[in-house]
């Protein structure tokens, strides 16, 4: 990876760089355009922490993102794929941060989505800018938050706020996050404030707070909240298996030990990631972005023509044989250069069920 570190000096790689300020190492996630926390970024952060841990001149760590945001999330291309040998998983990195012997503070500017939020939850404190926006949108893709997110979030903000954020896939702004306890401070310069907070924790002026060791503040509400948020998840994401699974995982934080809750979360995440709903939704996620960028994407008139041909197949009713036939005909006639483009048009323009991923995805093979 080409990362290097020397005591009292800097860590540098293609994905993470650092500067030193007031005895604190500021680790900058530098992975344009959205600072996705993929395998290379996680490895670089883990390598940086390994060097910092044994440097007596450093009292703490701040993790921040370059550019306009902290992180747009994990690398979705990794979902459902086996880890390569030596991969630093997000769950392992989060646990490494949480148990780190020096305070680690997240400095959040702009969007902090998915994996970015999961990483911040494991830090010992979180400082945000006024424009900070934190979100766990995994239900959009038929998944539940991983890396201990369903267990750490309720320990910080309580069951009610955690369920509302996850079951609706709702973004939380800086003011709300501060009021809930998701952020510890909002500052014009979150990096400078995070450096001060790391020093204050290291010196004992502020207490250590390892999220996994916290009690869920409103644990007694678990039974009362269950039916309400199962309904919320069902309305926000009808027909999706992930909604009820996320609700139950978050509620479990009130009654089971942290590691037991994380193990249940890992099992649920793996089941959902391998299941047909998440595969279909991820297929559409990547296909829609490819369609928006492709130089040979169908123009507006051709897109309308494709949609008209698909609608002529009638209502999209399983097993979707007529839709599949119409989609294959459009592809064979060259109306779209790629099958996934037709799937996007079917879902976005014609009402084909997203949970089936489009007629050609549904027809397989996947």
């Amino acid at each position: 990876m080409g990362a290097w570190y020397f005591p009292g000096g800097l860590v540098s790689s293609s994905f993470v760089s650092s500067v030193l300020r007031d005895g604190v190492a500021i680790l900058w996630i530098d992975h344009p355009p959205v600072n996705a926390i993929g395998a290379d970024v996680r490895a670089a952060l883990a390598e940086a922490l390994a060097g910092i841990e044994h440097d007596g001149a450093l009292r703490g760590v701040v993790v921040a993102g370059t550019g306009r945001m902290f992180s747009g999330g994990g690398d979705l291309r990794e979902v459902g794929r086996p880890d390569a040998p030596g991969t630093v998983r997000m769950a392992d990195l989060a646990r490494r941060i949480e148990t780190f012997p020096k305070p680690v503070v997240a400095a959040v500017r702009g969007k902090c989505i998915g994996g970015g939020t999961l990483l911040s939850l494991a830090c010992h404190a979180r400082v945000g800018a006024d424009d900070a926006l934190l979100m766990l949108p995994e239900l959009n893709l038929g998944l539940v938050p991983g890396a201990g997110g369903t267990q750490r979030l309720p320990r910080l903000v309580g069951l009610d706020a955690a369920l509302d954020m996850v079951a609706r896939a709702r973004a939380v702004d800086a003011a709300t996050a501060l009021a809930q306890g998701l952020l510890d401070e909002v500052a014009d310069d979150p990096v400078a404030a995070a450096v001060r907070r790391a020093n204050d924790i290291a010196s004992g002026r502020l207490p250590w707070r390892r999220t996994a060791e916290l009690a869920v503040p409103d644990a007694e509400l678990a039974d009362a909240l269950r039916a309400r948020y199962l309904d919320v998840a069902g309305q926000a994401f009808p027909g999706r298996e992930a909604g009820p699974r996320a609700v139950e995982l978050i509620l479990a934080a009130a009654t089971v030990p942290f590691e037991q809750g994380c193990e249940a979360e890992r099992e649920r995440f793996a089941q959902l990631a391998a299941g047909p709903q998440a595969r279909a939704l991820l297929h559409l996620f990547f296909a829609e972005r490819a369609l928006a960028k492709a130089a040979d994407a169908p123009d507006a008139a051709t897109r309308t023509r494709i949609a008209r041909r698909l609608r002529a197949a009638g209502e999209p009713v399983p097993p979707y044989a007529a839709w599949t036939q119409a989609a294959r005909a459009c592809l064979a006639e060259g109306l779209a250069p790629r099958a996934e483009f037709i799937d996007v048009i079917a879902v976005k323009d014609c009402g084909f069920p997203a949970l089936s991923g489009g007629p050609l995805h549904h027809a397989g093979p996947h």
Side-chain angles (χ1 to χ4, degrees):
M1 182 175 303
W4 48 266
Y5 183 86
F6 58 88
L10 304 176
V11 62
S12 177
S13 79
S14 301
F15 304 98
V16 173
S17 59
S18 82
V19 297
L20 306 182
R21 188 186 301 178
D22 298 334
V24 173
I26 304 169
L27 301 182
W28 293 96
I29 300 171
D30 189 6
H31 190 201
V34 298
N35 291 334
I37 306 177
D40 290 328
V41 171
R42 297 194 302 273
L45 287 169
E47 189 170 355
L49 292 171
I52 293 166
E53 180 175 3
H54 302 293
D55 186 342
L58 296 178
R59 295 187 292 274
V61 182
V62 167
V63 182
T66 60
R68 296 179 297 173
M69 68 176 68
F70 183 81
S71 173
D75 186 345
L76 293 175
R77 293 172 298 182
E78 298 175 0
V79 174
R81 296 182 180 179
D83 293 327
T87 297
V88 178
R89 299 181 307 149
M90 181 68 80
D92 297 332
L93 178 62
R95 198 65 176 136
R96 173 76 164 123
I97 288 172
E98 192 165 53
T99 59
F100 201 65
K102 302 177 183 185
V104 183
V105 181
V108 179
R109 185 181 297 281
K111 293 178 180 179
C112 181
I113 299 174
T117 297
L118 297 175
L119 187 150
S120 76
L121 294 175
C123 293
H124 306 118
R126 287 146 295 281
V127 178
D130 288 334
D131 68 347
L133 200 67
L134 297 97
M135 187 178 187
L136 290 172
E138 285 81 357
L139 264 63
N140 281 310
L141 296 174
L143 301 167
V144 296
T150 63
Q151 305 304 295
R152 289 190 178 93
L153 183 63
R155 284 171 163 83
L156 281 175
V157 306
L159 295 173
D160 197 0
L163 287 164
D164 188 68
M165 183 176 176
V166 173
R168 304 181 197 273
R170 185 174 66 89
V172 177
D173 62 25
T176 303
L178 180 64
Q180 291 177 343
L182 185 54
L183 290 177
D184 298 283
E185 182 180 349
V186 175
D188 291 337
D189 186 342
V191 173
V195 168
R196 289 194 298 270
R197 187 166 285 266
N199 272 314
D200 285 345
I201 296 171
S203 65
R205 292 189 293 272
L206 286 175
W208 279 88
R209 293 182 77 232
R210 290 185 170 90
T211 311
E213 299 174 359
L214 301 177
V216 176
D218 57 355
E220 73 282 357
L221 298 179
D223 289 338
L225 293 171
R226 178 173 281 102
R228 174 184 166 192
Y229 280 105
L230 285 173
D231 183 63
V232 167
Q235 291 190 36
F237 299 98
R240 299 193 186 184
E241 299 173 12
R245 301 292 181 262
V247 170
E248 293 299 340
L249 287 167
I250 290 170
L251 291 173
T255 57
V256 305
F258 177 79
E259 289 298 342
Q260 184 178 337
C262 287
E263 179 60 32
E265 179 194 87
R266 282 192 292 272
E267 291 177 0
R268 289 299 188 200
F269 186 96
Q271 291 169 358
L272 291 167
Q277 292 190 355
R279 291 203 308 271
L281 294 168
L282 284 165
H283 165 75
L284 290 172
F285 176 88
F286 289 115
E288 188 172 0
R289 278 149 185 78
L291 178 60
K293 297 177 181 178
D296 57 351
D299 59 23
T302 305
R303 182 163 177 158
T304 299
R305 184 180 172 191
I306 293 171
R308 188 179 300 116
R309 291 275 295 275
L310 294 173
R311 292 193 194 101
E315 289 296 316
V317 178
Y320 309 121
W323 280 71
T324 300
Q325 183 178 0
R328 285 175 173 160
C330 290
L331 188 64
E333 293 172 23
L335 297 180
R338 293 160 59 175
E340 56 263 39
F341 292 174
I342 296 176
D343 281 338
V344 171
I345 294 168
V347 171
K348 295 296 181 180
D349 300 356
C350 306
F352 192 92
L355 290 179
S356 294
L360 295 176
H361 174 84
H362 178 79
H366 309 324

